[in-house]
Amino acid sequence: MAATGRGGAEHDETASPSARLGAYIEERGLKHSRQRERIAQTFFDMGGHVTVEQLVVRCRRDDARISVATVYRTMKLLAECGLASARQFGDGQTRYEPAAGRAHHDHLICTSCGEIVEFANERIETLQALVARRHGFEVESHRLELYGRCARCKAARPREVRP
Amino acid sequence: MAATGRGGAEHDETASPSARLGAYIEERGLKHSRQRERIAQTFFDMGGHVTVEQLVVRCRRDDARISVATVYRTMKLLAECGLASARQFGDGQTRYEPAAGRAHHDHLICTSCGEIVEFANERIETLQALVARRHGFEVESHRLELYGRCARCKAARPREVRP
DNA sequence: GTGCCTGCAAAAAATTTGCAACAAC
DNA sequence: GTTGTTGCAAATTTTTTGCAGGCAC
């Protein structure tokens, strides 16, 4: 729990996730709890793009009594304080990824094995802004997802239709 | 029901939606029905980005007995034969838009009034393909959505946070 | 001790499915 | 007449919520 500059105002982008969550909780008069700590820790350990279900399973390896509702509530909390962000990849389940101080990025998703790769492309972002302006829009956020087959799956089964 | 070249093979991209649906139904040994006709017609009349719920409401103005299940089933059928395509804009409801012979396009979505505008940008597509190749992916499809405030909403309430 | 949190189970919301009656061919 | 389709209601799936008891402060 690195106490990296937990000084004062607003959200310190340089603080560790734990510290930021702690700060957020205290600012709002909320309370720390064993569950919140465990869920947040598990979430960051898992690295990203996890569904609530996966998170529940993993959390329960350490503490079998963690309830689904608490995981939902905690992930919502993490999203509110900017430590996680929710994504929909069209499979019906919300996925969360760490968001603390990370630059914007988009996703490549393998339709064969489900692998999710992140990427960022400055030029695409620039063009997006351009397109939006042309339509009179002020962009707040965007999502770009490329669906296809990753190198490994291509090699394994060239030109085959996915399951 | 323009009988535009309903000649023979596969899916005639030049045929009218009704004709294509008819062809698809016959090819597969399925049956025509009053409901399918009505739902398809209503869908095409509505122009796009409609939810199943909106479709049900509208269909029931003409025929109060149309059931939700039938609308779901028919939209799935339209999607299968390439006349409609399903989109998820993250609000939890699937939206459908006409897809017959239309070029690929992406969406601008107003977070204030919900307006959905389509756009296409060749250069963005090119860059996407480039990024994918760089990661060893073979792209099958993609989605790009820009969320923000449209010109009208910006003018109405400049710089205000959305509801 | 007060007030937020948790777990459980019930509730919601969107979509799917089983089934008997019904319509298309 | 056979077979696919419909409407209804029940089932599913994902997420939310009410509530009594528990834990943090």
Side-chain angles (χ1 to χ4, degrees):
Chain A
M1 267 157 241
T4 335
R6 221 223 245 140
E10 302 293 270
H11 297 266
D12 181 353
E13 297 266 327
T14 68
S16 76
S18 291
R20 279 187 62 183
L21 177 57
Y24 186 86
I25 284 177
E26 281 159 32
E27 269 167 33
R28 311 244 161 165
L30 306 177
K31 288 173 182 169
H32 292 279
S33 80
R34 174 176 47 82
Q35 290 89 334
R36 285 181 175 169
E37 223 110 301
R38 165 138 297 145
I39 294 165
Q41 193 54 56
T42 305
F43 169 62
F44 291 114
D45 286 350
M46 289 179 77
H49 311 123
V50 288
T51 63
V52 170
E53 201 186 348
Q54 293 170 331
L55 214 34
V56 169
V57 169
R58 185 74 165 256
C59 285
R60 284 187 174 159
R61 296 216 299 233
D62 299 310
D63 180 347
R65 290 165 307 170
I66 298 258
S67 84
V68 188
T70 301
V71 176
Y72 273 105
R73 289 188 276 230
T74 302
M75 290 319 295
K76 191 154 282 185
L77 187 66
L78 288 175
E80 273 164 30
C81 67
L83 287 165
S85 74
R87 295 263 183 176
Q88 307 273 159
F89 291 140
D91 61 349
Q93 275 177 104
T94 300
R95 284 165 191 275
Y96 284 94
E97 62 181 26
R102 299 176 70 211
H104 173 81
H105 60 265
D106 296 302
H107 297 92
L108 272 158
I109 297 148
C110 180
T111 50
S112 228
C113 67
E115 187 191 11
I116 300 174
V117 175
E118 300 180 355
F119 71 89
N121 187 293
E122 186 77 31
R123 291 170 65 197
I124 292 182
E125 310 276 311
T126 307
L127 286 173
Q128 287 176 2
L130 211 72
V131 169
R133 203 177 323 143
R134 202 177 295 152
H135 286 269
F137 270 68
E138 169 179 62
V139 178
E140 291 163 347
S141 66
H142 69 260
R143 329 187 329 193
L144 169 57
E145 287 139 33
L146 308 181
Y147 296 89
R149 296 192 322 139
C150 69
R152 209 175 327 136
C153 291
K154 268 199 299 186
R157 300 181 305 170
R159 287 256 149 229
E160 190 179 306
V161 180
R162 65 178 188 280
Chain B
M1 259 163 247
T4 336
R6 219 220 247 143
E10 301 294 88
H11 297 264
D12 180 354
E13 296 266 326
T14 68
S16 75
S18 290
R20 279 188 61 183
L21 177 57
Y24 185 87
I25 284 177
E26 279 158 33
E27 269 167 32
R28 311 244 161 166
L30 305 178
K31 288 172 181 170
H32 291 280
S33 80
R34 174 176 46 81
Q35 290 89 334
R36 284 182 176 169
E37 223 109 301
R38 165 136 299 146
I39 293 164
Q41 193 54 56
T42 304
F43 168 61
F44 291 115
D45 287 351
M46 288 179 77
H49 311 124
V50 287
T51 63
V52 171
E53 200 185 349
Q54 293 170 331
L55 215 33
V56 169
V57 170
R58 184 74 164 256
C59 286
R60 285 188 174 159
R61 295 216 300 232
D62 299 312
D63 181 345
R65 290 164 309 170
I66 298 258
S67 84
V68 187
T70 302
V71 176
Y72 273 105
R73 289 188 276 230
T74 301
M75 290 317 296
K76 191 156 282 185
L77 186 67
L78 287 175
E80 272 164 33
C81 68
L83 287 166
S85 74
R87 294 262 184 176
Q88 307 273 157
F89 292 139
D91 61 350
Q93 274 177 104
T94 299
R95 285 165 190 275
Y96 284 94
E97 61 179 29
R102 299 177 70 210
H104 173 81
H105 60 265
D106 296 301
H107 296 92
L108 272 158
I109 297 148
C110 180
T111 50
S112 229
C113 68
E115 189 192 11
I116 299 174
V117 175
E118 298 179 357
F119 71 90
N121 186 293
E122 187 77 31
R123 292 168 66 196
I124 293 182
E125 309 277 310
T126 307
L127 287 172
Q128 286 175 2
L130 210 71
V131 169
R133 203 177 323 143
R134 203 177 295 152
H135 286 268
F137 270 67
E138 170 179 62
V139 178
E140 290 164 347
S141 65
H142 67 260
R143 330 186 327 196
L144 169 57
E145 288 139 33
L146 309 181
Y147 296 89
R149 296 192 323 138
C150 69
R152 209 174 328 135
C153 291
K154 267 198 301 186
R157 300 180 304 168
R159 289 253 151 232
E160 191 179 305
V161 180
R162 65 178 187 279

